Amino acid sequence: SDTCVHAPTVRVRPLTCTETRRGDQRVVHSLGDGTVHVSAARHDVTFGFSAVFDAGASQEAVFEGSGMRQLVELAIDGFSCTVFAFGQTGSGKTYTLMGPLAQSETRPAAPGLLGLMQRSFACLLEQSQSCGSGLALSVSYLEIYNEQVRDLLSPGPPCALPLRWSKTRGFYVENQLNVDFESLEAIADLLLQGSQRRRTSAHTLNRHSSRSHALLTIHVRSRASITPTTRVPQPGACPSKQGTLCFVDLAGSERVKETGSSGELSVEANNINRSLLALGHCISLLAKPQGKRMHIPYRDSKLTRLLARSLGGSGITLMVACISPSSRCLSETLSTLHYASRARRVTTRP
Ligand code: ADP
Ligand code: MG
């Protein structure tokens, strides 16, 4: 079929030590049939999704069960594929995408804990080695912080890059670095460098990364077979295809408390709320039947501009909603699940 559902997947993380120690109740349960059950004093709701991963699910199970491997194969086939993790701060978005971040190059994370990103990289490079002419791979890594786009791969102090639009390219970031890579070590290294840049560019480490959206995009070009002597495509060879695989670690979706001040915090909060709202708005408009569809307001935020191509009909999107099982997170958990349910109805024809 040429219709592709933006499949939402839910991952429930285990209770953390702190949560267990202070006696938080588990209010989220999964029955193993694609449903999530939220039951607390005044709530008893069941949601259905294409896949639900409970606290016991391994990183490998999430990779295999979410359809991530197929997404990698579609990117090799020339499609624009996007996976995005969303949910409140501390719900496991970064863990799901990257695993626990390595402390340094000499102390990498245990292989079993690697996230969707590293597993996808391995899958891409395996495929590249197994097909004769290989794949041409390159990566860009950006973050959107306070509605400014910054390059996480370029050395030196972070500076804002302009986001532009052209008829041929659609929305694109001017002067963004796009680095070629050929090995798993090289891409793992770029991921680590970029993530460290994201983490250390703020005074309070955790706050910055939970207040910014990070987008890592792999460009996959399959080379048409070329004979070394003539340098022309062999008769019958496939034309070259160009796909992308984009990983989006969204800013924490929790409502930031109104501080009443006009300080830095409330500017940040407004920007996050605005871009997540814009994303939700685009998704719910896309969920309407084709005939009733209005103009999709991608221009409302930098995030939706950068995601326009993958959301809007030429791409395939995998959403991973991350939630905490704790009673203390109940209202955020419900809002994440509602947000994910809305995205369930979006279909596109890549
Ligand atoms: P977020 O990126 O959504 O803010 P993190 O990925 O940083 O959240 O996760 C918060 C904490 O919970 C981290 O200490 C992380 O290691 C832990 N954690 C998250 N998901 C899991 C999981 N599935 N299994 C074990 N620990 C997890
Ligand atoms: Mg995070």
Side-chain angles (χ1 to χ4, degrees):
S1 160
D2 62 353
T3 303
C4 186
V5 178
H6 286 230
T9 291
V10 173
R11 187 179 205 188
V12 191
R13 69 153 167 75
L15 280 171
T16 61
C17 298
T18 321
E19 288 169 340
T20 310
R21 219 178 306 125
R22 71 183 177 206
D24 287 14
Q25 296 297 307
R26 258 187 81 100
V27 294
V28 180
H29 298 275
S30 161
L31 303 174
D33 56 352
T35 61
V36 186
H37 215 71
V38 182
S39 52
R42 286 166 40 239
H43 297 272
D44 199 354
V45 207
T46 303
F47 297 83
F49 293 97
S50 58
V52 176
F53 300 97
D54 210 348
S58 66
Q59 296 281 69
E60 189 189 359
V62 175
F63 179 78
E64 298 297 343
S66 61
M68 191 64 232
R69 186 182 287 280
Q70 288 87 316
L71 218 61
V72 173
E73 278 155 14
L74 285 163
I76 296 172
D77 261 347
F79 291 98
S80 323
C81 302
T82 307
V83 45
F84 61 92
F86 71 101
Q88 74 180 117
T89 300
S91 59
K93 299 180 294 293
T94 305
Y95 185 94
T96 297
L97 290 174
M98 315 197 229
L101 266 190
Q103 294 309 301
S104 70
E105 277 137 83
T106 51
R107 280 184 50 204
L113 298 183
L114 294 174
L116 291 178
M117 293 169 95
Q118 295 96 335
R119 286 168 201 273
S120 303
F121 301 159
C123 190
L124 266 175
L125 284 153
E126 244 166 58
Q127 298 266 348
S128 178
Q129 272 142 27
S130 69
C131 70
S133 47
L135 301 169
L137 300 169
S138 63
V139 63
S140 62
Y141 197 6
L142 305 167
E143 75 171 342
I144 306 173
Y145 181 66
N146 267 341
E147 282 298 278
Q148 292 195 328
V149 181
R150 292 177 186 172
D151 199 324
L152 292 173
L153 293 183
S154 76
C159 64
L161 298 178
L163 181 54
R164 305 205 187 280
W165 187 86
S166 84
K167 241 187 177 140
T168 49
R169 299 175 65 181
F171 293 107
Y172 68 97
V173 176
E174 196 169 81
N175 293 329
Q176 90 180 61
L177 275 188
N178 198 24
V179 182
D180 293 332
F181 65 91
E182 289 182 343
S183 70
L184 198 52
E185 294 72 41
I187 180 65
D189 210 41
L190 289 163
L191 173 65
L192 183 65
Q193 283 172 29
S195 306
Q196 280 171 347
R197 210 161 273 136
R198 183 184 183 206
R199 283 199 297 175
T200 53
S201 57
H203 5 268
T204 29
L205 303 185
N206 209 10
R207 190 169 69 92
H208 176 84
S209 63
S210 64
R211 306 285 84 192
S212 74
H213 309 292
L215 290 85
L216 181 139
T217 308
I218 306 273
H219 300 268
V220 187
R221 218 152 20 87
S222 61
R223 305 182 179 103
S225 328
I226 294 182
T227 42
T229 46
T230 57
R231 291 247 145 236
V232 292
Q234 288 171 342
C238 300
S240 70
K241 289 179 277 197
Q242 224 167 327
T244 53
L245 186 57
C246 182
F247 298 87
V248 187
D249 191 348
L250 289 171
S253 60
E254 62 279 1
R255 271 179 246 313
V256 182
K257 305 268 179 304
E258 290 296 341
T259 52
S261 73
S262 54
E264 188 193 354
L265 251 180
S266 76
V267 174
E268 258 181 16
N270 279 335
N271 282 324
I272 294 165
N273 290 344
R274 205 171 64 192
S275 60
L276 290 176
L277 270 177
L279 180 62
H281 192 200
C282 289
I283 288 174
S284 55
L285 287 175
L286 286 163
K288 289 191 193 306
Q290 208 101 34
K292 293 189 177 166
R293 216 180 258 185
M294 313 184 296
H295 160 75
I296 313 289
Y298 295 115
R299 287 184 181 267
D300 282 3
S301 74
K302 298 243 161 105
L303 176 68
T304 43
R305 281 182 230 186
L306 284 173
L307 290 174
R309 196 196 309 238
S310 31
L311 289 173
S314 61
I316 300 131
T317 302
L318 169 68
M319 294 187 21
V320 186
C322 296
I323 55 178
S324 153
S326 160
S327 50
R328 298 212 184 189
C329 300
L330 181 64
S331 79
E332 290 304 333
T333 294
L334 287 170
S335 108
T336 300
L337 291 171
H338 282 298
Y339 193 96
S341 302
R342 231 177 325 155
R344 212 161 105 91
R345 295 189 293 269
V346 181
T347 57
T348 61
R349 282 164 206 286

